[in-house]
């Protein structure tokens, strides 16, 4: 312990940069990293270049600064994507599916996609037999799903801009949905205010979904609970469903030793 090999200083500096970026609420300029970490300017720029090539950081041109990339998210949330998260969420999903009489999902973000980790069907209920495409392992565009939007609502504007910077990022499945970052911001602003997200016939015609996010110890969204039902199964108030899911997500947050985000 305490003895560094000839290569460990570079590794340590790269980790210091990633930790510093993770501690900040938004992208950080390279000059600030040089100042705050006391590292040589040339080393910082070289490390940032390597990290950017591998997806651990992204450069935000409008701010001339660097933020965490998708690879950092994948490593940072790897623990949560595995069995511990599923074990903690499973009983919560079971109770929600039973009380709502609807299928409930657990999902995470992977880049611009929602990935479904768990799916719990109710034994009975108005939507118990509704056929859904959201099986475990299925990936869908996050900006179209209530599950994905619940997670995107807790993402910074700079990170959203980086995620959806590629041409054609705003795909549709039913011909509806946000077509630009401006559209998405408007939707997510509404979702943040009420604490849950909703989509109506954006993934599949005739279906409606609501989602709410669970958070980690720094108040960042790490997973979302969502439920889907057929619009033909009767008029159900999405606000009531949203509140039920929000309370379920809050229980998962507690189980993860997380905390709700600050306003």
């Amino acid at each position: 312990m305490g003895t560094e090999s000839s290569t460990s200083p570079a590794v340590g500096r790269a980790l210091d940069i990633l930790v510093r970026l993770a501690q900040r609420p938004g992208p950080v300029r390279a000059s600030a990293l040089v100042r705050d970490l006391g590292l040589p300017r040339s080393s910082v720029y070289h490390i940032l270049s390597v990290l950017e090539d591998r997806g651990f950081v992204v450069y935000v041109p409008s701010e001339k600064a660097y933020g965490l990339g998708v690879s950092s998210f994948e490593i940072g949330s790897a623990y949560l994507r595995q069995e511990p998260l599923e074990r903690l969420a499973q009983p919560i999903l079971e109770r929600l599916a039973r009380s709502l009489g609807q299928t409930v999902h657990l999902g995470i973000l992977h880049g611009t996609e929602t990935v479904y980790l768990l799916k719990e069907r109710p034994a009975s209920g108005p939507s118990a037999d509704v056929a859904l495409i959201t099986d475990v392992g299925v990936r869908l565009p996050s900006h179209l799903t209530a599950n994905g939007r619940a997670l995107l609502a807790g993402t910074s504007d700079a990170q959203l801009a980086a995620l959806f910077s590629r041409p054609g990022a705003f795909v549709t499945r039913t011909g509806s949905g946000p077509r630009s970052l401006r559209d998405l911001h408007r939707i997510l602003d509404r979702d943040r205010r009420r604490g849950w997200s909703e989509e109506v016939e954006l993934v599949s015609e005739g279906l409606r979904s609501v989602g709410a996010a669970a958070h980690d110890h720094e108040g960042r969204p790490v997973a979302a609970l969502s439920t889907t039902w057929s619009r033909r199964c009767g008029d159900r108030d999405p606000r009531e469903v949203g509140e039920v899911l929000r309370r379920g997500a809050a229980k998962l947050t507690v189980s993860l030793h997380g905390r709700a985000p600050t306003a």
Side-chain angles (χ1 to χ4, degrees):
M1 299 296 290
T3 302
E4 293 184 333
S5 70
S6 59
T7 58
S8 63
V11 176
R13 289 172 176 176
L15 293 175
D16 287 342
I17 289 173
L18 290 174
V19 170
R20 184 60 178 170
L21 292 177
Q23 292 171 339
R24 305 303 298 167
V28 180
R29 294 196 174 200
S31 58
L33 293 171
V34 171
R35 181 191 67 239
D36 296 344
L37 298 176
L39 298 176
R41 185 175 184 275
S42 59
S43 295
V44 169
Y45 276 98
H46 173 70
I47 291 170
L48 285 171
S49 177
V50 174
L51 292 175
E52 185 178 11
D53 286 343
R54 287 161 173 76
F56 285 94
V57 304
V58 293
Y59 181 66
V60 184
S62 61
E63 300 187 39
K64 298 180 179 179
Y66 293 84
L68 292 178
V70 172
S71 294
S72 292
F73 173 82
E74 290 174 349
I75 287 181
S77 62
Y79 169 83
L80 296 175
R81 290 204 307 271
Q82 295 173 6
E83 188 176 8
L85 173 61
E86 297 174 26
R87 283 179 177 267
L88 293 170
Q90 184 70 54
I92 296 175
L93 262 66
E94 289 176 355
R95 289 193 294 270
L96 289 172
R98 186 166 56 250
S99 64
L100 292 170
Q102 299 172 180
T103 298
V104 181
H105 297 90
L106 176 75
I108 60 169
L109 278 182
H110 187 277
T112 59
E113 295 180 314
T114 301
V115 182
Y116 293 97
L117 302 183
L118 288 175
K119 179 178 182 178
E120 188 66 33
R121 285 183 176 274
S124 61
S127 294
D129 297 325
V130 173
L132 303 174
I133 65 170
T134 46
D135 289 323
V136 172
V138 167
R139 297 167 180 253
L140 290 172
S142 59
H143 63 283
L144 298 180
T145 70
N147 198 293
R149 285 180 178 177
L151 294 167
L152 292 175
T155 303
S156 71
D157 290 350
Q159 289 172 316
L160 286 173
L163 283 172
F164 292 93
S165 61
R166 295 179 180 177
F170 291 97
V171 299
T172 68
R173 287 178 57 88
T174 62
S176 299
R179 301 299 181 95
S180 66
L181 194 58
R182 188 174 190 176
D183 289 345
L184 183 59
H185 276 304
R186 177 178 51 79
I187 293 168
L188 297 181
D189 285 343
R190 178 196 61 199
D191 292 347
R192 293 186 191 105
R193 288 193 297 270
R194 64 189 180 186
W196 49 272
S197 301
E198 179 187 21
E199 67 85 11
V200 182
E201 297 186 312
L202 299 186
V203 176
S204 298
E205 292 183 1
L207 299 182
R208 184 174 204 159
S209 299
V210 168
H215 300 82
D216 66 11
H217 66 287
E218 293 189 353
R220 296 174 298 196
V222 291
L225 307 178
S226 59
T227 185
T228 301
W229 69 98
S230 172
R231 300 185 70 190
R232 296 188 297 272
C233 293
D235 294 329
R236 183 151 206 179
D237 190 343
R239 293 171 296 183
E240 294 180 0
V241 177
E243 285 304 307
V244 170
L245 284 181
R246 190 181 60 79
R247 290 193 294 269
K251 291 180 181 178
L252 181 55
T253 295
V254 172
S255 296
L256 295 170
H257 302 287
R259 63 172 178 83
T262 56

